């Protein structure tokens, strides 16, 4: 049996060692191998571990071996899964801002203004198991955004996270140095003295669809167009920090209509795919666009997982026929997973992202948000149409158990984004 090569055996072949040390070709080859391993390592066990909703089994966290990510100034402690934890009551540091202090919150999300009698939902802080979530530093965030663009692209839940980010930052900016404007699908918050913008782009499927109108988009027969990511993607070019989401609009049933060709075609070629296959198509298109249009050395890309709904009280052991309406407490079950959060979609995300050649930071907000049946806007929001007598008599019938009050849960999503941006 050959003896392993050790320092003690090196004396028998000094010339070999000198040649190895002095050979520029060998050094170049080794450096290239190390570079390739770092650049294309595909260790996505961390992501796959996060997708497991069973919090009793927390897998060992293995970081993806990407090169140092842009904007990072440190790293999350080894073994710390920021997305696995519990909610703790915090009456001293929560909320992070007051609803009345942020004029950018849409009336669909201003629960206090629309009569919500309690504020308990504002005072919960996310506490990861065995480690702490870094405090949101608005000054650091704004300085990082100096001369840059940050964009949230997706549906109204991503818009809620976008507005939360604006609310977390705007107090540091003088009144005459900030503005918010909307141009069709694009909303732009500008911090003038920082030469920075925080933007939201409406694209509920990311692909082109018949629901792309930013105002009139309530379409029951939803259709997405295959291979159409550039329809929206042309508006995303030049962004430095991108936050994608898409989920809720895909949940029309077990099938999704996919168009091959154009919406302008006289005869439309439409096929039906399973929701999972259609969603996989969209994820692959998104990753291809990112790989072709984003600079891995200068930009960061995030993807926010599905935002859960709380439409069915029987999911958490409540009275049948009820929903999030009048819910003021959290789900007290660490393994709770609502029926509207499809695990099959999470598996699609894990499978597709594990093959990505571009670093995508996955914000797995689903499990921690599943506990928050108390945090929805419910009936405490602007109603765009007059309520009928039947609705008034039965608030459950019109309670919004999809969107979230601000301030509230989505501020935590941005705390997690902050942590992953600076301490990946």
């Amino acid at each position: 049996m050959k003896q392993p090569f050790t320092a003690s055996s090196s004396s028998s072949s000094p010339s070999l060692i000198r040649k190895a040390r002095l050979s520029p070709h060998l050094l170049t080859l080794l450096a290239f191998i190390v570079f390739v391993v770092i650049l294309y390592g595909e260790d996505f066990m961390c992501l796959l571990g996060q997708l497991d909703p069973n919090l009793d089994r927390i897998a060992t966290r293995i970081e993806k071996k990407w090169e140092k990510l842009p904007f990072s100034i440190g790293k999350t402690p080894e073994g710390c899964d920021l997305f696995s934890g519990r909610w703790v009551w915090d009456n001293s540091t929560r909320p992070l801002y007051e609803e009345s202090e942020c004029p950018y919150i849409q009336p669909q999300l201003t629960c206090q203004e629309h009569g919500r009698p309690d504020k308990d939902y504002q005072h919960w802080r996310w506490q990861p198991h065995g480690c702490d979530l870094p405090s949101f530093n608005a000054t650091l965030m704004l300085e990082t955004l100096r001369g840059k663009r940050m964009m949230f692209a997706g549906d109204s839940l991503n818009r809620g996270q976008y507005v939360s980010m604006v609310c977390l930052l705007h107090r540091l900016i003088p009144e005459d140095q900030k503005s918010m404007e909307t141009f069709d699908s694009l909303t732009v918050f500008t911090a003038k003295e920082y030469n920075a913008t925080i933007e939201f782009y409406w694209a509920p499927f990311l692909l082109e669809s018949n629901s792309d109108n930013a105002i009139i988009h309530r379409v029951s027969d939803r259709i997405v167009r295959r291979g159409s990511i550039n329809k929206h993607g042309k508006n995303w070019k030049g962004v430095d920090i991108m936050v994608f989401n898409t989920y809720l609009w895909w949940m029309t049933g077990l099938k999704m209509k996919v168009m091959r060709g154009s919406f302008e075609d006289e005869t439309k070629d439409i096929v039906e795919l399973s929701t999972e296959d259609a969603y996989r198509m969209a994820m692959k298109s998104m990753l291809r666009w990112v790989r072709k249009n984003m600079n891995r050395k200068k930009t960061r890309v995030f993807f926010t997982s599905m935002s859960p709904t709380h439409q069915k009280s029987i999911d958490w052991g409540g009275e049948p026929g009820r929903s999030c309406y009048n819910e003021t407490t959290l789900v007290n079950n660490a393994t709770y997973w609502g029926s509207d959060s499809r695990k099959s979609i999470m598996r699609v995300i894990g499978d597709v992202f594990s093959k990505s050649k571009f670093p995508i930071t996955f914000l797995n907000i689903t499990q921690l948000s599943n506990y928050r049946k108390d945090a929805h806007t419910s009936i405490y929001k602007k109603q765009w149409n007059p309520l009928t007598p039947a609705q008034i008599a039965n608030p459950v019938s019109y309670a919004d158990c999809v969107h979230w009050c601000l301030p509230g849960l989505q501020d935590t999503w941005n705390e997690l984004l902050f942590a992953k941006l600076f301490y990946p």
Side-chain angles (χ1 to χ4, degrees):
M1 178 189 248
K2 290 185 179 179
Q3 293 297 319
F5 187 87
T6 65
S8 61
S9 65
S10 64
S11 59
S12 62
S13 53
S15 62
L16 178 62
I17 299 304
R18 282 196 297 272
K19 286 181 181 179
R21 288 174 178 168
L22 297 175
S23 171
H25 300 293
L26 182 57
L27 290 174
T28 302
L29 177 62
L30 289 174
F32 178 76
I33 292 172
V34 170
F35 174 78
V36 170
V37 169
I38 292 173
L39 193 61
Y40 293 107
E42 293 298 333
D43 184 1
F44 239 84
M45 289 301 294
C46 175
L47 170 63
L48 297 177
Q50 290 169 8
L51 299 186
D52 185 354
N54 186 352
L55 295 186
D56 293 331
R57 297 187 295 106
I58 303 175
T60 301
R61 187 167 185 246
I62 305 173
E63 290 289 349
K64 187 170 177 63
K65 303 300 188 295
W66 295 114
E67 72 276 19
K68 185 177 184 294
L69 295 172
F71 307 110
S72 66
I73 60 175
K75 64 178 183 178
T76 299
E78 191 70 28
C80 172
D81 181 357
L82 294 177
F83 305 105
S84 176
R86 68 190 189 283
W87 289 98
V88 297
W89 179 258
D90 186 342
N91 208 21
S92 58
T93 69
R94 294 297 185 274
L96 297 176
Y97 55 88
E98 294 294 335
E99 178 185 299
S100 59
E101 294 174 352
C102 187
Y104 305 105
I105 308 176
Q106 306 104 305
Q108 302 97 302
L109 307 178
T110 50
C111 298
Q112 292 298 306
E113 179 184 348
H114 289 91
R116 179 157 179 166
D118 72 297
K119 286 189 175 182
D120 287 359
Y121 66 93
Q122 297 183 358
H123 293 285
W124 291 100
R125 174 174 55 81
W126 181 246
Q127 177 62 56
H129 293 306
C131 54
D132 292 317
L133 189 61
S135 298
F136 188 92
N137 186 327
T139 301
L140 173 60
M141 192 73 194
L142 274 173
E143 286 298 334
T144 300
L145 289 175
R146 188 179 291 277
K148 294 180 171 59
R149 294 174 64 196
M150 180 180 196
M151 178 180 283
F152 294 76
D155 60 24
S156 57
L157 290 157
N158 220 21
R159 180 168 55 206
Q161 188 176 357
Y162 158 73
V163 172
S164 163
M165 179 63 74
V166 171
C167 290
L168 288 165
L169 298 177
H170 87 98
R171 286 177 296 176
L172 297 183
I173 308 168
E175 283 299 322
D176 62 346
Q177 292 295 311
K178 57 191 174 185
S179 64
M180 181 178 279
E181 299 175 280
T182 298
F183 313 93
D184 296 324
S185 295
L186 182 67
T187 300
V188 182
F189 175 82
T190 302
K192 298 175 185 177
E193 66 176 291
Y194 292 89
N195 188 28
T197 60
I198 306 171
E199 308 170 29
F200 169 73
Y201 185 90
W202 171 262
F205 293 96
L206 299 183
L207 301 177
E208 182 183 3
S209 76
N210 61 347
S211 303
D212 286 345
N213 188 300
I215 299 175
I216 306 170
H217 47 245
R218 293 190 178 277
V219 180
S220 58
D221 191 24
R222 298 171 185 171
I223 303 170
V224 297
R225 185 165 78 88
R226 187 185 188 94
S228 59
I229 193 79
N230 288 326
K231 168 73 185 308
H232 300 306
K234 63 186 179 185
N235 299 286
W236 308 337
K237 291 183 177 181
V239 168
D240 300 280
I241 301 172
M242 172 64 86
V243 185
F244 288 112
N245 95 313
T246 183
Y247 171 71
L248 188 67
W249 285 69
W250 297 88
M251 299 300 106
T252 58
L254 300 178
K255 297 285 187 179
M256 187 74 202
K257 290 185 176 181
V258 177
M259 174 179 292
R260 298 182 294 195
S262 169
F263 280 102
E264 278 68 50
D265 292 343
E266 187 172 340
T267 302
K268 295 177 173 55
D269 183 6
I270 298 175
V271 297
E272 280 196 340
L273 299 179
S274 70
T275 301
E276 288 76 13
D277 285 344
Y279 192 86
R280 183 184 301 273
M281 174 191 69
M283 291 297 95
K284 288 182 176 180
S285 292
M286 181 194 75
L287 292 182
R288 276 195 300 271
W289 185 92
V290 165
R291 191 173 65 250
K292 292 178 180 179
N293 294 280
M294 303 290 279
N295 185 337
R296 65 189 304 130
K297 295 182 179 180
K298 296 181 179 179
T299 62
R300 288 288 296 278
V301 178
F302 295 83
F303 186 86
T304 304
S305 68
M306 64 182 75
S307 175
T309 65
H310 292 87
Q311 308 275 20
K312 305 171 186 175
S313 56
I314 56 173
D315 281 358
W316 58 83
E319 183 181 333
R322 302 190 67 82
S323 66
C324 70
Y325 171 66
N326 262 355
E327 291 289 347
T328 57
T329 60
L330 282 61
V331 174
N332 189 25
N333 176 2
T335 62
Y336 173 76
W337 188 266
S339 61
D340 289 335
S341 300
R342 288 197 197 175
K343 296 179 184 178
S344 59
I345 294 295
M346 293 292 257
R347 286 191 288 269
V348 169
I349 296 171
D351 180 50
V352 175
F353 282 20
S354 69
K355 299 178 178 67
S356 174
K357 295 298 188 293
F358 191 103
I360 307 291
T361 301
F362 185 68
L363 298 178
N364 189 9
I365 56 84
T366 307
Q367 182 70 80
L368 63 92
S369 303
N370 256 306
Y371 305 134
R372 298 301 307 274
K373 60 183 173 69
D374 64 310
H376 290 287
T377 54
S378 185
I379 65 172
Y380 305 108
K381 55 180 285 187
K382 179 178 177 64
Q383 305 295 334
W384 297 106
N385 297 307
L387 297 173
T388 66
Q391 287 176 313
I392 294 172
N394 180 23
V396 173
S397 66
Y398 69 94
D400 182 347
C401 299
V402 172
H403 299 95
W404 310 94
C405 300
L406 286 179
L409 171 66
Q410 291 188 297
D411 302 318
T412 297
W413 297 4
N414 280 323
E415 288 182 285
L416 290 162
L417 190 158
F418 174 90
K420 285 298 185 179
L421 178 65
F422 294 109
Y423 307 98

